[in-house]
Amino acid sequence: MFLHTVLAGCLLASSHAMSVTSRSNSEPLQHSPPSAHPSTIGPVTDLTIANRVIAPDGFKRSATLAGGIFPGPLIKAQKNDNFSINVVNQLQDKDMPLSTSVHWHGIQQQKTNWADGTSFITQCPIPPNRSFLHQFSTNQTGTFWYHSHFSTQYCDGLRGPLVIYDPDDPHKDLYDVDDVLAQRAQVLTISDWYHDPTTVLNKILGPVTNNSTLINGLGRYPGGPLDKRYRFRVLGLSCDPSYNLTIDGHIMTIIEADGVETIPETVDSLPVLPGQRYSVIVHANQPVANYWVRVLPNLGNQSFAGGLNQAILRYKGAPEEDPTSSSGPSILPFNEAKLASLMNIPAPGVPEIGKADININLVSGNVNGLFTINNVSYHSPPTPVLLQMLSGAQHPSDLLPSGSVYELPPNKVVEITIPNTGAAPGGPHPMHLHGHKFAVVRVAGNSTPNFVNPIWRDTVSMGTTIGDNVTFRFVTDNAGPWFFHCHIDFHLNNGFAAVMAEARNQLPIVNTWASLCPPDNSYTASHLGSFNTSILT
């Protein structure tokens, strides 16, 4: 007997739910005959960004897609692979942004800050009919993703999974199946979906309500025998909602968070915030049947009626019909304070709150719909911060946007506190730092710090309780400007961000500056006069 599949599930449309198990209902923007698009690619590839009309929940809309599909193709790599990904902009739909950039979420970009893919921080956006070659290598392993980092464009569809496999995975004895040939197999992406383009959504003041929950990118595959243990890689690709993941009749054992192996922790529910990733082991040891996979959002239609917000875990031999399973009570709830690094990595610096080399308190707020950090709302600068740092800005106050850039010297322990005062609505806010994993020494919902063996990750919840004071540490050992922001994309678009400008004097010299902001780029043309252009020649 076999565990058959997780279907890319039952999706909320305007007035009904439907089961979608393939992308056969998508069509190109010009309504020419559809062509096949690979669902899996390697680390050396072209990644074409183009518009297509798709209907993942039964409602047709034009979308901005990587590789012509949603989610974008799974990028599969091995530890220490060299990445060479050429992002090609073929966008044509003028109802959505025509420029783009692609960020590799969770990849630390050691010595390759320029390849981070963050518009206005490390590069200018890629204009239509241009490309940008990202070249980097990493010894990181685990579950990552990629997405647009231009405006709120990833909410129009530009997002996809990235997995780096470790041949010496320290958890490999805990599971039997992680990958099946070249298929997407145990990759579980959870995302929201919107019927209106972001050019319309960005005009909304206050909460933006999604139309659908999509559990996507999960084709059918032949499974292994009953009693096999499956590693599922769970990715929060949402623009706004957080989701609580449960599987009827099954528990989950967490073995990875944001690309960091953890001491196994068993739960029966798992909150997944935008930007977060987990690997969980699911043991197929229940009677042959169909079981609901439930992803309850914290916003919008918080219901399972008619199969909303659900997919199907189907054991082979079970009838192809909706499950009759029930969720049951939660007796093993998720507690982030229990997560710990498998490698027993202590937090850097003196083990006491406020005793790092550099201590920064970032207080969030909201004024007239714009989010603030320490009373400053972030806005994109006229010139990417990286080019500002390279072009001779001598003092932190010279770096734009003014008040949003925190300059950090090299090889120092930095402690960041992000207190929840209740002044920034729309939480829980998932706070993400580019360029680093950080040690979360104080998690939401727990006032006791842990410097001995904290969880290391790159996206952390600020919590939902006024008085939470999430605190994390990292070492400034990776030169460059790194974006720190709320990963609710509409909040970022409204100013919930800052920049950590790290180790300016150690920025590596590369030969690709001209491609960061080509002189004929419309963004560059109007702003090059503000800094030394010799680095672009």
Side-chain angles (χ1 to χ4, degrees):
M1 289 182 283
F2 298 83
L3 174 65
H4 186 59
T5 187
V6 175
L7 300 181
C10 299
L11 310 176
L12 170 62
S14 303
S15 58
H16 64 281
M18 60 179 295
S19 178
V20 177
T21 58
S22 73
R23 297 185 178 87
S24 60
N25 60 345
S26 65
E27 54 185 306
L29 189 59
Q30 280 75 34
H31 303 286
S32 58
S35 58
H37 298 275
S39 62
T40 303
I41 57 178
V44 179
T45 187
D46 285 344
L47 187 66
T48 299
I49 312 303
N51 301 116
R52 290 175 65 87
V53 172
I54 60 173
D57 61 0
F59 181 92
K60 289 185 179 182
R61 62 153 291 184
S62 177
T64 298
L65 304 177
I69 58 177
F70 179 83
L74 167 63
I75 300 175
K76 295 177 60 174
Q78 299 292 322
K79 184 177 182 179
N80 294 319
D81 273 354
N82 292 317
F83 287 75
S84 182
I85 301 177
N86 190 35
V87 176
V88 181
N89 183 352
Q90 294 184 359
L91 295 173
Q92 298 179 351
D93 189 338
K94 295 181 180 180
D95 289 332
M96 293 180 289
L98 294 178
S99 295
T100 192
S101 73
V102 175
H103 167 59
W104 318 99
H105 184 114
I107 303 300
Q108 294 174 19
Q109 300 291 357
Q110 287 283 345
K111 299 184 178 180
T112 50
N113 173 266
W114 62 270
D116 194 49
T118 313
S119 292
F120 306 109
I121 304 297
T122 60
Q123 69 174 81
C124 286
I126 307 168
N129 302 311
R130 295 292 294 263
S131 65
F132 187 95
L133 179 62
H134 296 260
Q135 293 179 307
F136 57 91
S137 60
T138 180
N139 62 2
Q140 295 174 256
T141 61
T143 308
F144 307 92
W145 64 303
Y146 59 92
H147 59 84
S148 170
H149 226 305
F150 177 72
S151 185
T152 53
Q153 188 179 56
Y154 91 73
C155 306
D156 285 319
L158 204 177
R159 34 186 161 165
L162 189 163
V163 175
I164 304 176
Y165 293 90
D166 184 355
D168 301 313
D169 181 4
H171 283 310
K172 62 185 177 182
D173 292 336
L174 298 182
Y175 57 87
D176 305 295
V177 181
D178 179 26
D179 181 59
V180 180
L181 300 178
Q183 303 305 309
R184 298 172 77 111
Q186 286 78 37
V187 173
L188 182 99
T189 62
I190 306 172
S191 61
D192 47 359
W193 189 249
Y194 301 85
H195 293 169
D196 291 320
T198 56
T199 49
V200 174
L201 301 179
N202 289 344
K203 298 176 182 178
I204 299 173
L205 293 178
V208 179
T209 302
N210 61 303
N211 298 99
S212 311
T213 294
L214 305 184
I215 305 172
N216 229 349
L218 294 171
R220 297 174 183 269
Y221 67 94
L226 192 68
D227 257 355
K228 286 281 188 180
R229 300 160 299 172
Y230 292 79
R231 177 175 181 161
F232 285 89
R233 296 174 181 269
V234 181
L235 297 93
L237 271 57
S238 171
C239 293
D240 192 341
S242 300
Y243 292 94
N244 190 55
L245 170 66
T246 60
I247 305 175
D248 289 0
H250 298 74
I251 58 175
M252 300 170 283
T253 300
I254 301 169
I255 60 169
E256 175 214 348
D258 293 357
V260 176
E261 291 86 5
T262 68
I263 294 173
E265 178 67 23
T266 300
V267 298
D268 56 20
S269 63
L270 179 64
V272 184
L273 276 64
Q276 293 186 326
R277 296 91 62 209
Y278 293 95
S279 282
V280 298
I281 297 170
V282 177
H283 195 175
N285 58 358
Q286 298 302 304
V288 173
N290 298 309
Y291 299 89
W292 284 121
V293 178
R294 305 173 188 266
V295 287
L296 186 68
N298 70 326
L299 301 171
N301 195 331
Q302 298 174 302
S303 170
F304 298 125
L308 303 185
N309 302 310
Q310 295 176 117
I312 299 170
L313 180 69
R314 176 167 291 145
Y315 283 73
K316 188 160 187 179
E320 293 193 10
E321 61 187 24
D322 283 354
T324 59
S325 61
S326 59
S327 57
S330 176
I331 58 175
L332 295 169
F334 174 81
N335 180 352
E336 191 168 20
K338 292 184 177 181
L339 291 184
S341 163
L342 180 68
M343 301 306 174
N344 195 30
I345 306 172
V350 177
E352 184 178 342
I353 295 292
K355 293 298 180 68
D357 298 325
I358 300 170
N359 303 277
I360 303 175
N361 189 42
L362 300 178
V363 181
S364 57
N366 189 284
V367 179
N368 298 325
L370 295 178
F371 287 89
T372 61
I373 292 180
N374 289 349
N375 299 313
V376 178
S377 183
Y378 172 86
H379 61 274
S380 296
T383 300
V385 179
L386 175 58
L387 293 187
Q388 294 180 53
M389 293 173 69
L390 287 164
S391 64
Q394 297 299 313
H395 190 273
S397 62
D398 296 331
L399 294 173
L400 301 175
S402 181
S404 292
V405 182
Y406 295 79
E407 184 141 16
L408 303 176
N411 302 313
K412 299 295 184 182
V413 176
V414 178
E415 179 177 292
I416 305 289
T417 53
I418 42 176
N420 184 352
T421 65
H429 298 287
M431 303 305 296
H432 172 55
L433 176 64
H434 293 213
H436 288 278
K437 303 292 184 191
F438 48 74
V440 187
V441 298
R442 185 165 54 193
V443 304
N446 192 316
S447 61
T448 303
N450 174 11
F451 292 94
V452 177
N453 189 18
I455 186 61
W456 289 72
R457 60 187 318 163
D458 58 54
T459 308
V460 68
S461 171
M462 275 184 62
T464 57
T465 304
I466 295 176
D468 279 339
N469 197 6
V470 172
T471 304
F472 63 85
R473 286 186 176 184
F474 64 97
V475 176
T476 55
D477 56 4
N478 193 12
W482 301 111
F483 216 12
F484 176 65
H485 62 90
C486 176
H487 219 292
I488 295 175
D489 221 27
F490 303 111
H491 295 182
L492 169 58
N493 193 56
N494 286 326
F496 204 162
V499 180
M500 302 295 157
E502 182 175 332
R504 138 198 335 246
N505 295 330
Q506 295 182 1
L507 284 170
I509 302 300
V510 298
N511 298 318
T512 56
W513 300 125
S515 66
L516 296 175
C517 285
D520 60 345
N521 185 330
S522 60
Y523 291 97
T524 306
S526 60
H527 300 298
L528 275 178
S530 64
F531 68 99
N532 182 356
T533 62
S534 62
I535 59 174
L536 297 179
T537 61

